[in-house]
Amino acid sequence: MKILIRLLQIMGSTWLTMLIAIVFGCLTIGSNIGLLAASAYLISNAALHPAINELSTAIVGVRFFGISRAVFRYLERYISHDATFRLLEVVRVWFYTKLEGLSTARLMQWQSGELFSAIVGDVEILKEFYLRVLAPPFIGVVVFSTVCWFLAQYSMNFVYVLTGGFVVAGLILPIFLQTIQKSTAHKLVVARGELRAQLVDSMTGIVELAAFNQTGRQARLIDDIHQRLLSLQSNVSKLSGLTDAIGLFVVNSTVWLILWLTIPLIHNGSMEGIYLAVVVLTVQSSFEAVLPLPFAVHYLGESMAAARRLFTIVDTEPVVLEDEGMINIPDTRIDVENLSFRYSPESPLVLNKISFAVGAGQRLAIVGPSGAGKSTLLHLFLRFWDYQQGSIRLGGHEFKKYDASKLRAMFGVVTQQTHLFNASIRDNILLARPDASENQFDQAIKHAELGEFIEKLPQGYDTMVGQNGYALSGGQRQRIAIARALLKNAPILILDEPTVGLDALTEQLIMETIGKLMTGRTTIMITHRLTGLETMDEIIVLSSGSMVEQGRQAELLANKQLFDQLWHLQHDVI
Ligand code: ADP
């Protein structure tokens, strides 16, 4: 019920259009009933050879309802589809806005395919919510009341029989269907989501799957889910066939009963014979309003399951809570004091009482073996997570006092996994600053040393990079990341192992370009490669979340502790 109310609240802005569509839905079925009733009256009356003027009202009625049925049906379809697509837009925008507020850290806990499935699939299912769930009961009630009023003019027995037929077809049948396929709707939504998630996963990891000869295994996994989905869909189809058959049986039984009740009324003269066909066809055509109801129950189940999944994602607590009194950022000095952090209350401390400082314009390197907590520290700097103990201060003020987006605007980032969008090279670079001038763009290209490479491409800056930039080498991707950082021109630079996976020569060339990028910027570089660190003002060494050493490279080597060991390990190997 709570889910239903929330869903109705989201679609609140489209209610007027939906109401108009419902009115046209009622008018369409009304016209259909009118057409059949007027035709029955016309044919029955004509059989008695009356004067032609006695038939003229019925003739006009048939013409009117014949035309109005088509016009109303068109308007109802047009408006209801318009309302549905508006609703889809509303739900998509609502969902995306909620996702944005969740921050990267929370989104990491969902598989990318799961989010994709929610954005595309679950939202799509919700479009049925109006067309097949909300509208049919309203139309059913309006048509039922009007037809009952009409039948009551002849006999209350007609009303009782029609009520019986409507209750069976519109209430008992849907409840029966709901009981039988109670969990099927939920299972269908879950299986569809799983299939999409697996497909996205397989496409993203296709290289690994091929390299480890696991494509067959993955294909079998997808096939299993597909078979499960097929069997669920086949169950739904069987049930919908059965429901159709039972529905038709109820319609025809009601019509027979009405006919059976009409004959004695005509015999004893309390009803004129020409109304026999009118009453019978009115009853038969009124069922058009009730037959969609069993399916409304099925789609209600699917819509609720889809909505539940969407709400579970958007209800995830944001990990970064904005402080009320946000302040402007004065300068770029960073002070970290007794900083401790764990990912959740149950998990162990990933950072344990870390303290260090980076003055404005200084360069700090954070080094240490894998799992030491280097990336976690970076996530805290970018406010993907909020720390629990200790403090990080920027320009003398606590990090949590800043608006997260203003804070992130202070940081330029070059990471080991530069994501490139399936767009042109120009658009990928402009991502950092869409309103950059031509001159600013040219300067960024020049300093990132991308010009020569791009000019050789047949379409230059307009060359599409392909899905996640598959058409570019590692070095070229990193130069695009550097160009982005240059264009953003943020005063603090975060480098997260920017040369991982590059060959030695490319690494050296990229580090030279990064050297220029660091000029005049406060820099924090995370690395486990201990080369080129002699230019850093300070190096901190992390191990299992604790800071074990601190100083310049020469001091750390002289200390003969962890840094010295790691340094010799790497240089001896080289
Ligand atoms: P490094 O970058 O030095 O390799 P990380 O900061 O990535 O180290 O990881 C430090 C520890 O935190 C590891 O034990 C890792 O398993 C854990 N960790 C990293 N990310 C998460 C996360 N999102 N949720 C829970 N634990 C995490």
Side-chain angles (χ1 to χ4, degrees):
M1 197 63 193
K2 237 167 101 187
I3 295 180
L4 191 65
I5 293 170
R6 280 184 77 177
L7 209 50
L8 290 173
Q9 277 168 347
I10 295 167
M11 56 201 298
S13 58
T14 55
W15 72 269
L16 187 63
T17 330
M18 294 194 177
L19 195 68
I20 297 174
I22 288 177
V23 170
F24 280 115
C26 294
L27 289 175
T28 309
I29 297 181
S31 297
N32 194 32
I33 298 172
L35 178 65
L36 283 176
S39 309
Y41 177 82
L42 182 63
I43 294 167
S44 308
N45 209 1
L48 302 175
H49 303 293
I52 191 75
N53 59 344
E54 276 186 41
L55 296 177
S56 57
T57 319
I59 293 170
V60 171
V62 170
R63 267 196 208 142
F64 172 78
F65 288 125
I67 295 169
S68 70
R69 177 183 153 79
V71 173
F72 289 145
R73 171 66 79 208
Y74 173 78
L75 288 173
E76 187 248 338
R77 287 285 147 90
Y78 181 84
I79 295 171
S80 65
H81 280 83
D82 182 59
T84 300
F85 288 116
R86 270 175 214 274
L87 176 68
L88 274 188
E89 183 193 331
V90 169
V91 176
R92 285 210 178 102
V93 170
W94 161 82
F95 185 60
Y96 187 76
T97 319
K98 293 282 182 183
L99 279 193
E100 263 192 346
L102 278 185
S103 94
T104 324
R106 272 296 182 232
L107 294 182
M108 279 176 195
Q109 79 185 62
W110 302 96
Q111 260 189 49
S112 58
E114 231 171 336
L115 282 177
F116 172 74
S117 166
I119 292 173
V120 180
D122 294 342
V123 171
E124 199 76 17
I125 291 172
L126 288 185
K127 87 167 188 263
E128 310 289 358
F129 184 65
Y130 162 71
L131 279 182
R132 300 182 194 249
V133 179
L134 275 192
F138 279 103
I139 298 178
V141 169
V142 173
V143 170
F144 173 69
S145 328
T146 320
V147 174
C148 278
W149 168 82
F150 172 74
L151 294 178
Q153 315 294 318
Y154 300 100
S155 161
M156 277 315 283
N157 285 340
F158 293 160
V159 176
Y160 303 142
V161 172
L162 185 78
T163 310
F166 264 56
V167 167
V168 176
L171 214 63
I172 298 179
L173 199 54
I175 292 172
F176 160 75
L177 194 67
Q178 163 75 354
T179 333
I180 294 189
Q181 59 164 43
K182 209 170 195 175
S183 53
T184 315
H186 175 72
K187 283 188 197 151
L188 254 180
V189 172
V190 171
R192 277 195 206 120
E194 249 178 75
L195 185 64
R196 281 196 204 99
Q198 281 299 340
L199 284 172
V200 172
D201 230 21
S202 310
M203 296 314 292
T204 343
I206 192 103
V207 174
E208 278 82 358
L209 288 173
F212 293 111
N213 237 348
Q214 293 297 321
T215 41
R217 191 172 152 269
Q218 187 68 9
R220 278 193 298 281
L221 191 72
I222 290 175
D223 193 44
D224 283 348
I225 305 174
H226 196 235
Q227 291 303 331
R228 187 151 38 95
L229 191 62
L230 275 184
S231 123
L232 286 167
Q233 272 167 341
S234 144
N235 286 347
V236 170
S237 305
K238 279 182 204 150
L239 270 175
S240 91
L242 183 70
T243 316
D244 264 347
I246 301 177
L248 277 178
F249 180 75
V250 175
V251 177
N252 291 328
S253 309
T254 314
V255 169
W256 273 108
L257 266 174
I258 296 275
L259 193 60
W260 186 66
L261 288 172
T262 317
I263 293 166
L265 290 182
I266 293 171
H267 266 301
N268 66 24
S270 47
M271 190 173 151
E272 270 188 66
I274 49 169
Y275 292 111
L276 181 138
V278 175
V279 169
V280 168
L281 288 182
T282 300
V283 168
Q284 188 181 26
S285 52
S286 68
F287 272 90
E288 194 189 335
V290 85
L291 288 181
L293 284 178
F295 302 101
V297 174
H298 165 76
Y299 285 108
L300 177 68
E302 274 203 5
S303 303
M304 289 301 104
R308 198 171 296 121
R309 272 166 56 109
L310 290 177
F311 290 144
T312 316
I313 294 174
V314 301
D315 286 347
T316 320
E317 283 273 303
V319 280
V320 176
L321 299 172
E322 305 280 332
D323 197 288
E324 291 288 308
M326 293 154 202
I327 44 175
N328 286 325
I329 297 163
D331 79 73
T332 59
R333 180 184 168 82
I334 298 175
D335 293 279
V336 176
E337 230 178 274
N338 275 329
L339 180 72
S340 295
F341 176 76
R342 57 179 95 233
Y343 278 99
S344 63
E346 314 81 53
S347 62
L349 276 178
V350 173
L351 293 174
N352 193 0
K353 297 201 170 136
I354 309 276
S355 300
F356 61 88
V358 200
Q362 283 198 328
R363 298 172 180 186
L364 170 88
I366 303 172
V367 304
S370 280
K374 304 184 294 290
S375 305
T376 304
L377 199 50
L378 182 142
H379 288 165
L380 295 183
F381 281 134
L382 294 174
R383 273 203 89 187
F384 289 166
W385 299 89
D386 264 345
Y387 44 93
Q388 295 97 11
Q389 291 161 30
S391 79
I392 306 180
R393 286 193 302 277
L394 175 64
H397 298 284
E398 200 60 41
F399 247 46
K400 293 176 188 174
K401 297 270 176 208
Y402 295 111
D403 172 282
S405 58
K406 270 192 198 156
L407 192 74
R408 282 183 207 130
M410 297 286 288
F411 291 92
V413 184
V414 180
T415 67
Q416 47 186 298
Q417 290 166 331
T418 301
H419 184 85
L420 297 181
F421 290 89
N422 189 5
S424 66
I425 293 183
R426 180 190 301 278
D427 287 344
N428 263 296
I429 296 171
L430 283 176
L431 179 82
R433 193 170 169 189
D435 58 349
S437 68
E438 203 57 32
N439 185 36
Q440 287 163 333
F441 180 78
D442 290 343
Q443 288 299 316
I445 297 291
K446 185 175 149 213
H447 289 115
E449 291 161 36
L450 263 171
E452 204 182 318
F453 151 68
I454 294 175
E455 271 152 28
K456 281 193 203 138
L457 297 170
Q459 284 165 298
Y461 295 112
D462 295 322
T463 306
M464 299 298 281
V465 301
Q467 193 81 41
N468 196 16
Y470 72 88
L472 299 181
S473 74
Q476 289 154 357
R477 298 166 76 96
Q478 291 313 71
R479 289 198 184 279
I480 289 185
I482 294 169
R484 278 178 181 166
L486 281 163
L487 204 56
K488 185 171 178 186
N489 200 17
I492 307 172
L493 187 62
I494 299 246
L495 305 169
D496 181 10
E497 313 234 25
T499 57
V500 157
L502 301 181
D503 61 85
L505 181 63
T506 316
E507 176 179 6
Q508 196 189 338
L509 294 173
I510 294 283
M511 278 318 290
E512 279 170 20
T513 315
I514 286 180
K516 290 183 212 155
L517 178 63
M518 288 198 265
T519 313
R521 294 189 168 91
T522 307
T523 303
I524 298 172
M525 179 162 85
I526 288 176
T527 181
H528 74 274
R529 297 266 296 139
L530 306 185
T531 47
L533 294 182
E534 55 283 352
T535 61
M536 304 310 276
D537 296 307
E538 176 138 270
I539 301 168
I540 62 169
V541 185
L542 292 185
S543 173
S544 305
S546 300
M547 201 171 91
V548 290
E549 278 182 279
Q550 183 174 21
R552 292 184 69 101
Q553 173 165 291
E555 294 161 11
L556 295 176
L557 287 175
N559 278 352
K560 302 247 171 270
Q561 302 283 316
L562 181 62
F563 183 86
D564 181 60
Q565 284 166 18
L566 293 171
W567 199 86
H568 277 103
L569 213 61
Q570 284 187 12
H571 287 77
D572 291 350
V573 171
I574 293 165

